[in-house]
Amino acid sequence: SPSRIDAPFGESTSVIIARTFNPSRRVPGIGWERNIKALLLAAIRNARRFIYLEDQYLVDLDTAAALNRAIPRLQHLTILIPGSAINDFPFGREYRRDFVNRLTAGLSPTDRSKIGIFQLSTSQARPVFGSHTYVHSKSWVFDDELAVIGSANCNRRGYQHDSEVDAFIFDSTAVQSGLTFAQQYRMRLWKEHLGVPARSVVDGVASAALWRRLARPATARVVEFNHHLPSSQAQSVRDIAAAALRDIIDPVP
């Protein structure tokens, strides 16, 4: 329930700023803030049509569990991340696998089919990385009503440990153009990633099919992300190390 001060110029768009902040020393009146994760989890709980997410890491298991609970009532969850081969997060392959496993746990085949996880690529046949194929964005779009843009990655560092700031942007009054800020933002992103006119992605539910292989345009610069890892002795050793080091690599305060 934003007050008038949240939109002081009389326009339709309101912004709430949330932070992750952990003071390094005690200062009267200044305490820790972890509002980003709380607001994101609230947005996930209240999403009714779809969620679109761009993230650099995608490893926070609490977020994966919240998305898992939301999937049955959504039309789709579409995620864009950088390929693991060009990601700098230690044990990122293992932690992303754990995220996807938590995200899909217990879902029916129909609900699993609503989930699409993609990476930028210069080829649609296989992941090929080159110019403009890294995803550094940390953005969410919920139902074309709420956009979240900021610096917090989907990991515990971003939500609980580091210093981060996110803007939660929504339209609190009627929009004359008929397009909300969140919708326009998503359309610009999908226009770039899919290489299609903006008019092709106005509907955030129907146009999600353009991400999938059967309907994907030849102009698209995306390819499916495969979270599966080989079964081998070397991978078993990496899994043990990843589990032992998780709280160090992605710590809580």
Side-chain angles (χ1 to χ4, degrees):
S1 301
S3 65
R4 292 183 61 187
I5 196 66
D6 292 313
F9 302 109
E11 300 294 340
S12 65
T13 304
S14 294
V15 180
I16 292 176
I17 299 298
R19 288 171 286 267
T20 301
F21 179 64
N22 296 280
S24 59
R25 57 190 177 91
R26 292 182 178 273
V27 177
I30 298 179
W32 57 262
E33 298 181 50
R34 303 202 188 120
N35 299 326
I36 293 175
K37 185 173 184 176
L39 285 178
L40 282 174
L41 292 179
I44 292 170
R45 286 196 303 270
N46 285 281
R48 290 297 179 269
R49 298 174 60 233
F50 72 90
I51 298 174
Y52 174 65
L53 165 62
E54 292 189 6
D55 193 75
Q56 184 181 14
Y57 294 142
L58 196 73
V59 299
D60 182 67
L61 296 180
D62 290 343
T63 304
L67 290 170
N68 172 274
R69 293 189 291 270
I71 288 296
R73 67 173 181 273
L74 299 178
Q75 296 299 309
H76 73 86
L77 166 65
T78 300
I79 300 174
L80 181 69
I81 55 177
S84 293
I86 56 174
N87 195 288
D88 63 354
F89 196 75
F91 293 105
R93 296 174 188 269
E94 287 76 19
Y95 297 152
R96 283 177 165 183
R97 176 203 57 198
D98 296 345
F99 180 98
V100 177
N101 287 341
R102 181 72 61 89
L103 170 63
T104 57
L107 294 180
S108 68
T110 299
D111 284 338
R112 285 192 179 212
S113 70
K114 299 176 182 179
I115 302 171
I117 305 178
F118 304 90
Q119 54 196 328
L120 288 179
S121 171
T122 59
S123 168
Q124 292 190 34
R126 59 186 178 87
V128 177
F129 308 114
S131 177
H132 203 169
T133 56
Y134 192 80
V135 178
H136 197 265
S137 172
K138 309 94 167 60
S139 293
W140 298 72
V141 176
F142 298 90
D143 294 344
D144 275 349
E145 296 178 3
L146 172 67
V148 183
I149 306 171
S151 65
N153 284 301
C154 184
N155 64 348
R156 290 193 301 199
R157 280 188 178 274
Y159 294 156
Q160 296 178 282
H161 185 75
D162 291 341
S163 295
E164 311 287 2
V165 62
D166 276 17
F168 289 70
I169 307 165
F170 59 97
D171 294 283
S172 52
T173 61
V175 182
Q176 291 185 356
S177 68
L179 300 177
T180 65
F181 174 90
Q183 185 177 15
Q184 294 180 68
Y185 179 58
R186 177 193 56 75
M187 288 168 60
R188 291 177 66 181
L189 292 172
W190 288 18
K191 175 184 176 182
E192 176 182 349
H193 300 325
L194 299 173
V196 295
R199 64 178 180 275
S200 300
V201 292
V202 173
D203 189 322
V205 172
S207 62
L210 297 176
W211 286 80
R212 306 307 176 99
R213 186 175 298 277
L214 293 178
R216 187 182 302 150
T219 51
R221 300 180 66 253
V222 300
V223 68
E224 284 76 9
F225 173 78
N226 183 2
H227 70 286
H228 296 287
L229 297 177
S231 297
S232 66
Q233 184 174 0
Q235 185 59 55
S236 297
V237 172
R238 285 188 58 86
D239 289 343
I240 294 171
L245 295 174
R246 183 185 290 270
D247 290 345
I248 297 175
I249 293 172
D250 194 24
V252 293

